[in-house]
Amino acid sequence: MNTPGVLSFTQQAWEQVLAKAKRAVVYLDAACAESLHWGCGSSRLLEAVGSPACYLREFEPAAVGGGVEQPKAVFVLSSLLKGRIVETLRDIICRSHFQYCVVVTAVNHAVHLTANHVPVAAAAELEGQQPVFEQLEEKLCEWMGNMNYTAEVLHIPLLLAPVAPHLALTPAFASLFPLLPQDVHILNSARPDRRRLGSLAEVDATALTPELLLQIRCLVSGLSSLCEHLGVREECFAVGALSRIIAADLANFAPAKNRRKTATGRASVVFVDRTLDLTGAVGHHGDNLVEKILAVLPQLPGHTNDVMVNMVELTALQDEEENQNVVVPGCLAQSNDPAAKALWEALLNTKHKEAVMEVRRHLVEAASRENLPIKMSMGRVTPGQLMSYIQLFKNNLKSLGNHCGLLQLGLATVQTLKHPQTAKWDNFLAFERLLLQNIGESTMSVVLNQLLPMIKPLNQRTSDDYSPEELLVLLLYIYSVGGEFSVDKDLGEGEEKVKKALAQAFCEESELSPLLRKITGCDSSINLTFHKSKSAVDELFTLLRDIAGARNLMKQFKSVYVPGNHTHQASYKPLLKQVVEEIFNPERPDPVDIEHMSSGLTDLLKTGFSMFMKVSRPHPSDHPLLILFVVGGVTVSEAKMIKDLVLSLKPGTQVIVLSTRLLKPLNIPELLFATDRLHPDLGF
């Protein structure tokens, strides 16, 4: 049997859902659909339903109900069963003819008690009972119109979308993002003067909004289930303010206490705030094909971590824009195709050049197996060459069916290589390298002056110039990699020039993108005055200074910038790399910025005694499994770097990288300007 991991955890959870799905109408929310997509594929669910009709539906208020010939429904939900979620359940059931309803929630019953304000002591007395679920079961029968009909409400931990054996994401928490200094001001507005927070260092669970705290508890519920599946007792560590709160909540999660007593394995779970290093997320130094695919191809609707691949080339239709919506798009997740999955994992773990060669190799081998008339050509791989191999499958339905997953990845590669944004990737990289050299040799005002001529209004821009959104990405790179800097008159003047140019560029956009609408607070460019635009840009620069000072509270991980010398150019050293190197430092010093979160009195006593006795404190390198959770998103390159680094520093250690989402450069401005960071929409 394979060692338990993120894939077996997800597949085991879905097997429980599939067991309930026979001849049922199945309603899924977006996060559960994404978990299914990466974990075992929608075809597995369709097989389990076993009906010729399409019985899969999106869970939403307007969803079509079940007809007379559809007596059974299964609802698969990532959220708490409360508020609008329950109202939507009621509305769908009341307009249907169901006689048997199963509701699956990814959130533990204990969290439902918390959401319903049941005191901790009272919740402890309810161990083994599930009153919230039982009450909902009664309601389901009531809505079906007969108390003798069958209703089941159960918890199944559908937390993860496993992208690779070493990497999994949490789609339901894609919007979860670490706090920034400006959030402290918002939190303070709801607190009395004498209890005001001085900085992010003072933010604890009691300071958070009830919605954010509940969102964290829902995440912790899923992570606890993962640890149970892995058979481990976890030690929790944190780097950063929000990570500290999440780690403490997992360490003290009541339902985990009994599980830990019987666990035979051990693991370290280290949470890291993304905001401590945004350079890696907005930079273009990751020499990885998948990162480019994610950045340039359109997002798959309803998904956070996959893209649409245009499949028109494999049909008789002309490849024109109006035909792109006629053919169902392809995607990157190929959970039921072993050959495509092997290629996908190779793409995640190799550099761009090798990845493109790997795509060619797989296409050539597939064509050879199908006896297609392939013309071999060696040397540099071109999009045209790959396309000629893909076209061989076009009129051969059997071959198409046999290699559909591989062809989707092949087309994704071709479309990315031909995309104009891919050529721009190298321009970004060149400018970022130039910035790295100049940050060490010049002041911030000089660096900003270099950016100034690149800020052009719409009527002066060519396809090689940067859009306002791309300029934001460059500004985030500058302020994040530079870190804290001294403010002087020159910097004030330099910033002011950039602000004015940027505000003017915003005003002259013919149409505001969703991101610019969010930043400026204007729905249309017609309503955007220079005054409004300048105010928005002023706020943007306040945010940039917050980002520059994000590592101020760190003692050890204060910088991601390595100055150049006569033998080496200046470079960027990712914070995640520094964290992993510190964890596996052979001298095992007490971690300074990697805080251990105690899970009770025994741990507290250990920590206390260690100050004056020889009691070893828990250390993140103590255990054979390291789970590194990046709160706020991770890039493909970072996940690979962590895996390779652990292998080289401590070969026997298994590592799993978890994160809220896969990142591309433009995601970071979107997450930073999200209006619901402190008040996430939990559906009620």
Side-chain angles (χ1 to χ4, degrees):
M1 186 182 149
N2 287 338
T3 311
V6 291
L7 185 59
S8 62
F9 171 65
T10 307
Q11 289 180 339
Q12 196 176 92
W14 277 105
E15 286 303 326
Q16 295 174 63
V17 176
L18 299 178
K20 299 283 182 185
K22 190 168 185 183
R23 301 199 72 77
V25 181
V26 181
Y27 295 87
L28 296 134
D29 68 16
C32 285
E34 196 159 2
S35 171
L36 174 70
H37 179 73
W38 288 98
C40 46
S42 56
S43 59
R44 282 284 291 113
L45 183 53
L46 287 166
E47 283 166 24
V49 170
S51 169
C54 184
Y55 276 23
L56 300 194
R57 292 173 190 170
E58 185 180 354
F59 180 76
E60 57 173 359
V64 176
V68 181
E69 72 291 352
Q70 297 168 320
K72 183 180 175 185
V74 176
F75 297 88
V76 190
L77 308 173
S78 60
S79 52
L80 284 158
L81 304 176
K82 194 171 162 62
R84 289 199 318 273
I85 301 296
V86 172
E87 287 165 17
T88 302
L89 275 171
R90 180 197 64 204
D91 293 348
I92 294 171
I93 293 167
C94 285
R95 60 172 171 264
S96 303
H97 294 80
F98 300 137
Q99 298 171 29
Y100 182 3
C101 274
V102 180
V103 176
V104 172
T105 171
V107 182
N108 186 303
H109 183 265
V111 185
H112 282 82
L113 292 175
T114 304
N116 286 288
H117 311 293
V118 175
V120 175
E125 288 173 19
L126 290 168
E127 194 173 344
Q129 299 172 59
Q130 299 194 324
V132 178
F133 291 176
E134 287 160 16
Q135 285 166 19
L136 183 56
E137 284 172 355
E138 283 187 21
K139 284 286 184 191
L140 294 172
C141 289
E142 197 181 298
W143 298 331
M144 285 188 282
N146 188 327
M147 297 309 286
N148 292 319
Y149 285 166
T150 308
E152 289 179 71
V153 178
L154 57 154
H155 160 240
I156 298 175
L158 302 167
L159 171 73
L160 299 179
V163 171
H166 70 285
L167 173 62
L169 310 162
T170 58
F173 303 94
S175 64
L176 182 64
F177 201 69
L179 303 177
L180 294 159
Q182 63 183 27
D183 295 320
V184 175
H185 303 307
I186 299 166
L187 292 172
N188 276 335
S189 64
R191 296 168 72 88
D193 284 350
R194 57 195 165 78
R195 292 186 58 224
R196 298 228 156 187
L197 304 160
S199 72
L200 278 175
E202 295 173 29
V203 176
D204 60 10
T206 61
L208 299 186
T209 61
E211 305 99 308
L212 182 53
L213 203 51
L214 205 48
Q215 187 184 34
I216 287 169
R217 183 60 57 87
C218 290
L219 173 62
V220 161
S221 151
L223 292 173
S224 179
S225 296
L226 172 63
C227 290
E228 183 174 7
H229 173 78
L230 297 172
V232 296
R233 177 185 168 188
E234 71 280 14
E235 292 283 359
C236 300
F237 301 85
V239 185
L242 191 65
S243 286
R244 193 170 61 242
I245 295 168
I246 299 170
D249 204 49
L250 177 57
N252 295 286
F253 186 52
K257 297 280 167 85
N258 288 337
R259 153 179 80 70
R260 289 190 188 121
K261 287 173 190 168
T262 56
T264 53
R266 300 296 297 273
S268 296
V269 184
V270 182
F271 295 88
V272 182
D273 278 5
R274 174 78 265 177
T275 41
L276 295 172
D277 177 11
L278 293 181
T279 313
V282 296
H284 294 71
H285 39 258
D287 185 18
N288 184 278
L289 176 62
V290 176
E291 280 191 4
K292 294 173 188 176
I293 292 172
L294 291 169
V296 307
L297 295 190
Q299 198 166 300
L300 193 63
H303 287 250
T304 317
N305 306 296
D306 207 342
V307 296
M308 288 198 288
V309 181
N310 180 2
M311 304 298 289
V312 173
E313 288 277 8
L314 287 172
T315 70
L317 292 168
Q318 294 295 311
D319 187 10
E320 288 166 6
E321 206 165 319
E322 62 265 25
N323 289 332
Q324 287 180 18
N325 294 328
V326 175
V327 181
V328 175
C331 60
L332 301 176
Q334 303 297 333
S335 45
N336 288 321
D337 183 334
K341 204 170 178 180
L343 174 58
W344 167 248
E345 286 176 20
L347 300 186
L348 289 172
N349 291 306
T350 51
K351 292 190 172 183
H352 175 98
K353 191 176 176 183
E354 291 102 71
V356 174
M357 290 172 75
E358 197 67 13
V359 172
R360 176 173 69 180
R361 184 176 72 78
H362 274 74
L363 286 170
V364 167
E365 286 177 4
S368 301
R369 277 199 298 276
E370 297 292 339
N371 293 319
L372 298 172
I374 194 157
K375 287 181 183 171
M376 280 298 295
S377 57
M378 300 307 288
R380 188 167 164 269
V381 185
T382 65
Q385 183 192 95
L386 294 179
M387 202 64 224
S388 69
Y389 298 152
I390 290 167
Q391 293 276 11
L392 295 171
F393 295 82
K394 185 170 180 174
N395 297 315
N396 189 324
L397 204 57
K398 184 172 174 288
S399 301
L400 255 176
N402 289 344
H403 303 284
C404 189
L406 169 62
L407 294 170
Q408 289 174 64
L409 294 175
L411 281 167
T413 303
V414 170
Q415 287 159 27
T416 299
L417 294 176
K418 289 166 79 172
H419 201 284
Q421 281 297 116
T422 304
K424 221 174 192 180
W425 188 280
D426 292 336
N427 297 349
F428 269 105
L429 182 59
F431 188 66
E432 286 161 10
R433 283 178 176 160
L434 180 67
L435 284 173
L436 280 175
Q437 305 318 310
N438 291 344
I439 283 168
E441 297 163 9
S442 317
T443 60
M444 186 60 113
S445 58
V446 172
V447 172
L448 288 174
N449 281 335
Q450 288 179 318
L451 184 72
L452 196 57
M454 297 160 67
I455 306 172
K456 295 179 182 178
L458 182 65
N459 60 1
Q460 292 176 27
R461 286 204 302 268
T462 67
S463 58
D464 291 332
D465 291 316
Y466 295 99
S467 69
E469 293 85 354
E470 290 167 337
L471 290 164
L472 290 182
V473 166
L474 286 174
L475 280 165
L476 285 165
Y477 186 93
I478 292 168
Y479 279 78
S480 177
V481 77
E484 198 179 15
F485 49 83
S486 53
V487 178
D488 56 22
K489 184 174 168 239
D490 286 347
L491 176 63
E493 288 173 1
E495 280 189 340
E496 200 55 39
K497 285 178 192 169
V498 171
K499 284 181 193 178
K500 282 180 180 170
L502 208 52
Q504 193 60 48
F506 286 3
C507 286
E508 294 187 26
E509 289 297 290
S510 58
E511 195 178 325
L512 295 180
S513 66
L515 177 60
L516 290 186
R517 288 202 292 271
K518 206 178 277 184
I519 291 170
T520 59
C522 277
D523 286 340
S524 163
S525 55
I526 299 164
N527 302 326
L528 183 59
T529 62
F530 181 77
H531 177 70
K532 274 185 190 173
S533 183
K534 180 64 166 58
S535 296
V537 172
D538 286 342
E539 283 183 34
L540 164 67
F541 271 76
T542 303
L543 176 65
L544 289 170
R545 288 197 178 184
D546 277 355
I547 286 158
R551 293 181 293 274
N552 286 359
L553 298 172
M554 298 283 109
K555 298 180 184 71
Q556 186 178 4
F557 306 135
K558 265 195 156 340
S559 176
V560 294
Y561 177 73
V562 181
N565 56 33
H566 60 281
T567 54
H568 297 288
Q569 287 193 317
S571 62
Y572 154 66
K573 185 172 185 182
L575 182 106
L576 289 170
K577 185 176 188 181
Q578 296 179 47
V579 168
V580 173
E581 285 179 348
E582 181 58 21
I583 289 171
F584 296 110
N585 184 334
E587 292 175 12
R588 282 177 56 92
D590 271 350
V592 180
D593 288 331
I594 306 171
E595 295 180 68
H596 174 250
M597 297 297 140
S598 64
S599 59
L601 185 60
T602 313
D603 274 355
L604 283 171
L605 288 172
K606 261 191 193 178
T607 307
F609 284 138
S610 70
M611 296 166 80
F612 52 89
M613 286 175 67
K614 269 198 165 182
V615 178
S616 61
R617 290 187 186 192
H619 191 280
S621 67
D622 286 342
H623 308 307
L625 171 62
L626 170 67
I627 299 172
L628 193 68
F629 192 115
V630 188
V631 182
V634 72
T635 68
V636 170
S637 296
E638 287 171 334
K640 179 186 182 299
M641 173 193 73
I642 292 163
K643 181 171 76 84
D644 293 349
L645 200 53
V646 172
L647 185 64
S648 68
L649 295 173
K650 198 171 180 186
T653 302
Q654 184 193 354
V655 63
I656 296 172
V657 180
L658 301 180
S659 190
T660 43
R661 63 187 294 160
L662 276 182
L663 288 174
K664 54 187 178 185
L666 275 172
N667 286 149
I668 291 298
E670 290 161 2
L671 288 162
L672 287 169
F673 287 98
T675 51
D676 59 354
R677 189 164 57 243
L678 290 173
H679 299 275
D681 181 6
L682 301 178
F684 54 85

